[in-house]
């Protein structure tokens, strides 16, 4: 059974940093395409970033240059390093597995609150 | 960037109703369109991928159609557990984008 478990969310001041983790079981992050998707309170889903199995990454314009997606193959864990955080980054962050043209497995989400 | 316009944003319906949600893309997406269901406080759940393929384990009352730039999600005979918010997503090109969502409420 595939399981994705996010952690690392919390309260951070504007301009601060946070690193989110997504621990995977039942799948291999090193051979999967993995995504981060976020959802601000009461709002819709917004795609954030993707890492391919070959390591190539892509980002939404709103986070480019501030967020970095990466993975630790030995720990089977996906990360999202978030720097220079802004109020508008406040959201629940989900990791998801790309099962070939669809996000077929999602974690439960972790809440990031950016506020002074 | 490819924009996805979902309609309607809100839909009131009764148990047993047939409902259809539309998702229009600003350009062709090669049928790389997925539909998700989300309930409050929960992660999205994949329903349909590649426009019309039902994800394993999803009830057959859910169906997807469309091609090019116009796609639909239909729920035949709406069940109490189907009251939720539905999103379309294009996976044809980065940045991947979602529609604004359709909230299906009890009439």
């Amino acid at each position: 059974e595939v399981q994705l478990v996010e952690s690392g969310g919390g309260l951070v001041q504007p301009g601060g940093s946070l690193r989110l983790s997504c621990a995977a079981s039942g799948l291999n992050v090193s051979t999967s395409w993995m995504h981060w998707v976020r959802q601000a309170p009461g709002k819709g889903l917004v795609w954030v970033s993707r890492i391919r199995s070959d390591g190539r990454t892509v980002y939404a314009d709103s986070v480019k240059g501030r967020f970095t997606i990466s993975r630790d193959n030995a720990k089977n864990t996906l990360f999202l390093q978030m720097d220079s955080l802004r109020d508008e980054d406040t959201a629940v962050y989900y990791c998801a597995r790309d099962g070939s043209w669809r996000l077929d497995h999602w974690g439960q989400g972790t809440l990031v609150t950016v506020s002074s | 960037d490819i924009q996805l316009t979902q309609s309607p944003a809100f839909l009131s319906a009764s148990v047993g109703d047939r409902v259809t949600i539309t998702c229009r893309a600003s350009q062709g997406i090669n049928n790389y369109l997925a539909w998700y269901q989300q309930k409050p406080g929960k992660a999205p759940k994949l329903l349909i991928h590649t426009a019309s393929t039902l994800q394993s384990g999803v009830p057959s009352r859910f169906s997807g159609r469309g091609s090019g730039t116009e796609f639909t999600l239909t729920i035949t005979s709406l069940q109490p557990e189907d009251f939720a918010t539905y999103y379309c997503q294009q996976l044809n090109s980065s940045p991947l984008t979602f529609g604004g969502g359709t909230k299906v409420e009890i009439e």
Side-chain angles (χ1 to χ4, degrees), chain B residues 5-49:
Chain B
T5 303
Q6 251 184 271
S7 60
F10 297 94
L11 191 161
S12 291
S14 301
V15 172
D17 284 354
R18 174 188 178 98
V19 301
T20 297
I21 300 167
T22 298
C23 180
R24 290 188 174 87
S26 58
Q27 58 188 273
I29 56 174
N30 295 307
N31 290 1
Y32 292 131
L33 186 101
W35 290 96
Y36 303 89
Q37 175 194 68
Q38 188 181 34
K39 296 182 179 179
K42 300 294 186 182
K45 173 187 173 185
L46 176 66
L47 299 175
I48 301 283
H49 65 88

Side-chain angles (χ1 to χ4, degrees), chain A:
Chain A
E1 181 196 1
V2 173
Q3 241 191 339
L4 298 171
V5 180
E6 299 96 336
S7 60
L11 175 63
V12 60
Q13 292 188 336
S17 297
L18 215 52
R19 189 174 84 151
L20 305 184
S21 299
C22 170
S25 57
L27 65 84
N28 199 326
V29 298
S30 67
T31 58
S32 299
W33 290 28
M34 300 293 295
H35 299 253
W36 287 98
V37 174
R38 69 184 181 183
Q39 186 170 37
K43 302 297 185 183
L45 300 171
V46 176
W47 175 82
V48 173
S49 182
R50 180 192 69 203
I51 184 167
R52 298 181 358 173
S53 52
D54 63 5
R56 292 182 66 176
T57 60
V58 65
Y59 300 91
D61 285 347
S62 59
V63 307
K64 202 174 296 182
R66 300 189 299 122
F67 289 13
T68 304
I69 189 172
S70 64
R71 66 190 180 213
D72 183 324
N73 296 340
K75 294 183 178 179
N76 208 26
T77 300
L78 177 74
F79 300 103
L80 186 67
Q81 176 67 39
M82 304 186 296
D83 299 319
S84 303
L85 282 161
R86 305 168 180 167
D87 290 351
E88 55 266 33
D89 296 319
T90 293
V92 173
Y93 285 74
Y94 297 99
C95 63
R97 195 277 294 263
D98 188 327
S100 188
W101 312 111
R102 71 254 203 194
L103 303 190
D104 57 358
H105 295 284
W106 295 67
Q108 85 289 350
T110 187
L111 176 62
V112 172
T113 303
V114 184
S115 175
S116 53

